[in-house]
Amino acid sequence: MKNLYGVQNELHLKNQSYLVVQMMQEHTQDDEYFEYPRFQTFKSGLYDYQQKPIFSLIEKPIKYFLEGYHVDDKDAYLITKLPAGKYFGADYLVIKNRLSYFEVYEKSMFILLSIAILVFALSFLFLNRFAKPFKQVNKKLDNFIKDSIHEINTPLSIINVNIDLYNRKHTPNKYLQRMKAAAKVLSNIYNDMDYLIKYDRLDFEKESINMAEFLQERIDYFLEVAQMKNITLSSNIKNNISLYMNTKQFQRVIDNNISNAIKYSYEKSTIEVNLFVQDGICFLSFKDYGIGIEDVDKIFNRYYRESNQTGGFGIGLNIVKSIIDKAGIELTIDSMPKRGSTFTYKFPTTIVTLN
């Protein structure tokens, strides 16, 4: 486009040169004077054979005085040979104007923008059509998972209820206790999956929670799961603390921390659960003596698991992170490989009441 613009500019200067020559031809000796033509878009001048100006409106000296069309920096020159002695003793007519590629750039940008919009539109169209079958498959898969989750809840409840009824009538059986512990592990996974499906569609109403009672209830729930690895659940819980939060969300935080602590602890070790107040701030910590964490920054990524031997889907801590971020709860993690981990939650004073 620049080359084309240069050719067009050369033709334009030739037309202007022809116009100046035509005006000089119309001048006769009978005329009192000759008014040299002046134009806004270009300047011109008459030069002798030594390339010195006879009369010129060109202020800048011509660096390369070459017959024909040439460009010096951003200035374009057209130097035309005149018949000797015919036009006021001049041998050359020089026409000059300033090259401006603004119009070229403007057209180029318009073309590029048009191409970009066209490519984007076509890409969006093709990608949308290409992704349509996958969207349909994903939708069917989501519906299948939702239906499956709901179907799992009923047999889980039946298993737990029947084990409890059996234990009331008979001497506790270690095999049934293991079955119940496994059912509780599966129930915790079910609750995580159920939360993931519903969290963006439900409005989780907040209520006042007695933290000590609620925390102890969840610890008791996981006692049988801990006993499968001969792990002791130790607790030091301060009473008279109320938490204004959704019960299901708070349960997900507690359950996933205790479940992970059991999962990654060594056998015959201890898990310490502490609820305490320091300088008027409420803290909840979960400390285990297990394999520890190698990459703390990745454990909150959905589906991330540091060890494939412990099972799970890698969604528990991702759920915990989303809940505490919305509630304004701060989390600090102190972990050493093969020594254990401590998860400490700091609750804002806006959602905690110390009675």
Side-chain angles (χ1 to χ4, degrees):
M1 291 183 70
K2 280 186 173 182
N3 292 334
L4 179 61
Y5 178 77
V7 173
Q8 291 175 343
N9 188 63
E10 181 180 358
L11 292 175
H12 175 66
L13 291 184
K14 286 182 178 180
N15 289 333
Q16 299 299 330
S17 175
Y18 174 76
L19 181 62
V20 172
V21 171
Q22 187 179 31
M23 294 179 68
M24 288 191 296
Q25 286 178 345
E26 293 176 354
H27 172 73
T28 62
Q29 294 181 353
D30 297 333
D31 295 332
E32 185 176 351
Y33 63 92
F34 173 70
E35 184 176 352
Y36 193 84
R38 289 168 172 81
F39 303 91
Q40 292 183 347
T41 57
F42 67 93
K43 295 181 179 180
S44 63
L46 298 174
Y47 293 78
D48 61 16
Y49 71 97
Q50 294 181 343
Q51 303 172 1
K52 293 181 179 180
I54 296 175
F55 177 83
S56 179
L57 299 174
I58 301 173
E59 300 173 354
K60 184 179 177 181
I62 302 174
K63 190 174 181 180
Y64 304 103
F65 206 96
L66 303 172
E67 188 175 348
Y69 178 81
H70 65 91
V71 178
D72 179 15
D73 194 14
K74 293 183 180 181
D75 293 325
Y77 296 90
L78 177 66
I79 300 177
T80 305
K81 179 74 173 174
L82 297 175
K86 187 174 182 180
Y87 301 110
F88 310 105
D91 292 283
Y92 297 98
L93 170 63
V94 179
I95 306 291
K96 172 210 166 187
N97 70 347
R98 190 78 172 169
L99 283 177
S100 175
Y101 294 111
F102 175 78
E103 185 178 349
V104 175
Y105 295 141
E106 187 179 36
K107 289 181 179 180
S108 301
M109 289 301 298
F110 177 76
I111 293 173
L112 289 174
L113 184 61
S114 301
I115 293 173
I117 293 174
L118 180 61
V119 170
F120 176 79
L122 292 175
S123 301
F124 180 80
L125 177 63
F126 286 118
L127 286 175
N128 192 43
R129 296 187 65 179
F130 179 75
K132 189 175 181 180
F134 296 97
K135 289 180 179 179
Q136 293 175 346
V137 171
N138 286 336
K139 187 176 181 180
K140 291 180 180 179
L141 183 60
D142 289 341
N143 292 334
F144 171 76
I145 293 174
K146 292 175 184 178
D147 295 339
S148 301
I149 289 296
H150 292 302
E151 291 297 328
I152 290 172
N153 187 36
T154 302
L156 275 177
S157 301
I158 294 173
I159 291 171
N160 286 319
V161 169
N162 280 274
I163 291 175
D164 290 337
L165 292 174
Y166 181 87
N167 287 335
R168 288 180 184 180
K169 295 182 179 181
H170 303 85
T171 304
N173 185 307
K174 66 176 182 179
Y175 300 108
L176 286 177
Q177 292 301 105
R178 289 177 180 176
M179 289 174 60
K180 186 173 183 180
K184 286 184 175 181
V185 173
L186 187 58
S187 179
N188 185 61
I189 296 174
Y190 162 80
N191 289 331
D192 281 340
M193 296 292 290
D194 186 61
Y195 180 83
L196 277 180
I197 292 172
K198 296 179 180 178
Y199 84 98
D200 58 345
R201 295 181 297 161
L202 297 180
D203 183 17
F204 293 96
E205 296 182 0
K206 298 178 181 180
E207 57 185 290
S208 181
I209 304 172
N210 187 318
M211 291 188 73
E213 292 180 1
F214 194 86
L215 189 57
Q216 189 59 55
E217 176 189 335
R218 302 317 300 166
I219 292 174
D220 294 339
Y221 178 84
F222 282 96
L223 284 176
E224 291 163 322
V225 181
Q227 289 173 1
M228 292 179 65
K229 296 176 67 175
N230 294 319
I231 294 173
T232 302
L233 289 178
S234 172
S235 62
N236 183 10
I237 301 173
K238 181 175 176 57
N239 293 316
N240 302 321
I241 302 177
S242 298
L243 174 67
Y244 187 68
M245 190 174 176
N246 179 264
T247 305
K248 289 184 178 180
Q249 290 183 323
F250 188 47
Q251 180 178 330
R252 300 295 354 108
V253 174
I254 297 173
D255 287 7
N256 277 296
N257 275 273
I258 297 177
S259 176
N260 283 343
I262 295 172
K263 188 186 303 181
Y264 295 104
S265 289
Y266 295 124
E267 291 190 8
K268 300 180 181 180
S269 63
T270 301
I271 296 173
E272 300 172 5
V273 182
N274 299 310
L275 178 65
F276 59 97
V277 176
Q278 183 177 337
D279 298 329
I281 304 297
C282 178
F283 294 89
L284 173 61
S285 68
F286 301 87
K287 181 178 179 62
D288 68 73
Y289 299 88
I291 63 176
I293 303 171
E294 294 183 1
D295 195 338
V296 175
D297 295 331
K298 290 184 178 180
I299 61 174
F300 298 106
N301 295 339
R302 186 173 294 183
Y303 310 124
Y304 175 79
R305 293 184 298 168
E306 286 214 328
S307 174
N308 294 326
Q309 299 177 354
T310 54
F313 295 99
I315 60 175
L317 287 179
N318 178 262
I319 292 175
V320 170
K321 188 71 166 60
S322 66
I323 292 173
I324 65 175
D325 284 349
K326 289 183 179 180
I329 302 171
E330 297 180 14
L331 170 61
T332 56
I333 301 174
D334 183 18
S335 181
M336 291 183 62
K338 299 182 180 181
R339 296 288 298 274
S341 305
T342 302
F343 284 65
T344 304
Y345 296 87
K346 178 182 177 182
F347 293 84
T349 56
T350 54
I351 62 174
V352 172
T353 303
L354 306 178
N355 299 322

